[in-house]
């Protein structure tokens, strides 16, 4: 029997926006994923020193973002352990949790660009069956250099085709803080949640 294919989508999700949802949905279709777990990272090492919204708010928003899609669920793998949360440790735990499934890690082009700098990246890659990447405006990907630095990538990398979306969580936070339009960058219920809780008000 063919292994089930599990998408793993890690992020800070401050807040989850339509770019995240489109990436996850396109990856499911194009990479034939059975389910995707959203791994909310409470304490991302590469964002230390940045002001990140509370885990409670981010978790509530991710739950809202995924609740209407039966193929998406929230993973507690990082929520339940102390940080900093390196992806290599996360994957090691997930490999134990899902020993019989193929693990496909999803990310944007900016993350792929930074991948050689990830903590213990070779080990991280060795646990994965695939990496699904959706390009992002402004990313600068030199595949031959990446393959030279990370030879394992060559057989694991798949691009997910989608329109380039110039939407980031940072942009949503900034727009919300400046009272500029961002309504359609996020799901309506998340828009309401941000406003009600004044999450990004300076
Ligand atoms: P911030 O603006 O705060 O840095 P972000 O929008 O990049 O946040 P994250 O939660 O850090 O969101 O991202 C989780 C993953 O989603 C990353 O791999 C990132 O590259 C990817 N991603 C986010 N937005 C997009 C987008 N518009 N297109 C493609 N990938 C995206």
């Amino acid at each position: 029997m063919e292994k089930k294919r599990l998408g793993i989508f890690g992020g800070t999700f401050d807040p989850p926006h339509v770019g995240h949802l489109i990436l996850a949905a396109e990856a499911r279709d194009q990479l034939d994923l059975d389910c995707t777990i959203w791994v909310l990272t409470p304490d991302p090492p590469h964002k230390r020193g940045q002001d990140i919204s509370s885990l409670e708010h981010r978790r509530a928003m991710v739950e809202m973002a995924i609740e209407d899609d039966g193929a998406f669920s929230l993973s507690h793998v990082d929520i339940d352990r102390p940080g900093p949360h390196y992806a290599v440790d996360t994957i090691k735990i997930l490999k134990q949790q899902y020993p019989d499934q193929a693990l496909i890690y999803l990310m944007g082009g900016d993350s792929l660009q930074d991948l050689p700098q990830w903590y213990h990246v070779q080990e991280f890659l060795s646990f994965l069956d695939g990496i699904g990447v959706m390009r992002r405006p402004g990313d600068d990907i030199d595949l031959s250099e990446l393959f030279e630095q990370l030879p394992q990538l060559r057989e694991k990398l798949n691009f997910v085709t989608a329109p380039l979306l110039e939407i980031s969580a940072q942009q949503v936070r900034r727009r919300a803080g400046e009272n500029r339009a961002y309504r359609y960058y996020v799901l309506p219920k998340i828009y309401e949640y941000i406003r009600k809780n004044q999450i990004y008000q300076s």
Side-chain angles (χ1 to χ4, degrees):
M1 208 172 70
E2 284 236 332
K3 272 187 179 180
K4 279 200 164 177
R5 291 170 62 76
L6 179 72
I8 300 165
F9 188 26
T12 313
F13 303 124
D14 187 20
H17 50 72
V18 296
H20 295 128
L21 283 159
I22 290 171
L23 189 165
E26 290 287 2
R28 175 182 52 210
D29 268 19
Q30 295 175 37
L31 306 181
D32 217 8
L33 305 178
D34 294 285
C35 292
T36 293
I37 51 174
W38 290 50
V39 177
L40 175 59
T41 309
D43 181 7
H46 63 296
K47 291 189 178 172
R48 284 209 142 174
Q50 284 181 32
D51 213 4
I52 298 177
S53 305
S54 73
L55 178 61
E56 185 200 351
H57 281 324
R58 288 185 291 132
R59 179 178 173 163
M61 291 190 286
V62 172
E63 280 171 349
M64 282 186 249
I66 64 179
E67 68 188 352
D68 296 327
D69 195 318
F72 294 158
S73 59
L74 172 66
S75 167
H76 287 221
V77 59
D78 284 353
I79 294 175
D80 293 343
R81 68 188 180 97
H85 299 105
Y86 292 102
V88 62
D89 300 326
T90 309
I91 292 299
K92 229 183 269 183
I93 300 169
L94 290 175
K95 191 84 190 154
Q96 288 164 5
Q97 281 181 9
Y98 302 95
D100 303 326
Q101 302 203 24
L103 305 186
I104 321 294
Y105 201 91
L106 308 180
M107 62 176 68
D110 56 318
S111 302
L112 176 64
Q113 187 186 328
D114 295 342
L115 198 60
Q117 280 81 53
W118 284 28
Y119 183 67
H120 289 190
V121 62
Q122 302 281 6
E123 194 185 1
F124 167 74
L125 288 174
S126 70
F127 289 122
L128 295 175
D129 298 277
I131 297 213
V133 175
M134 187 170 115
R135 297 295 301 267
R136 209 169 171 181
D139 65 19
D140 182 16
I141 295 171
D142 179 340
L143 274 185
S144 49
E145 199 180 313
L146 271 174
F147 290 155
E148 201 173 300
Q149 290 173 297
L150 306 170
Q152 296 185 67
L153 248 192
R154 196 182 283 276
E155 54 170 18
K156 300 196 177 180
L157 181 62
N158 286 285
F159 283 100
V160 171
T161 316
L164 284 179
L165 292 168
E166 198 154 10
I167 295 179
S168 65
Q170 186 191 29
Q171 230 180 84
V172 174
R173 294 193 298 274
R174 193 179 301 143
R175 284 168 170 265
E178 294 170 356
N179 273 323
R180 288 164 56 209
Y182 68 98
R183 181 173 206 138
Y184 303 111
Y185 288 38
V186 295
L187 294 186
K189 51 193 163 183
I190 295 179
Y191 181 70
E192 294 307 333
Y193 185 90
I194 292 171
R195 280 160 53 94
K196 185 169 144 230
N197 294 284
Q198 304 201 334
I199 302 182
Y200 304 120
Q201 240 60 40
S202 39

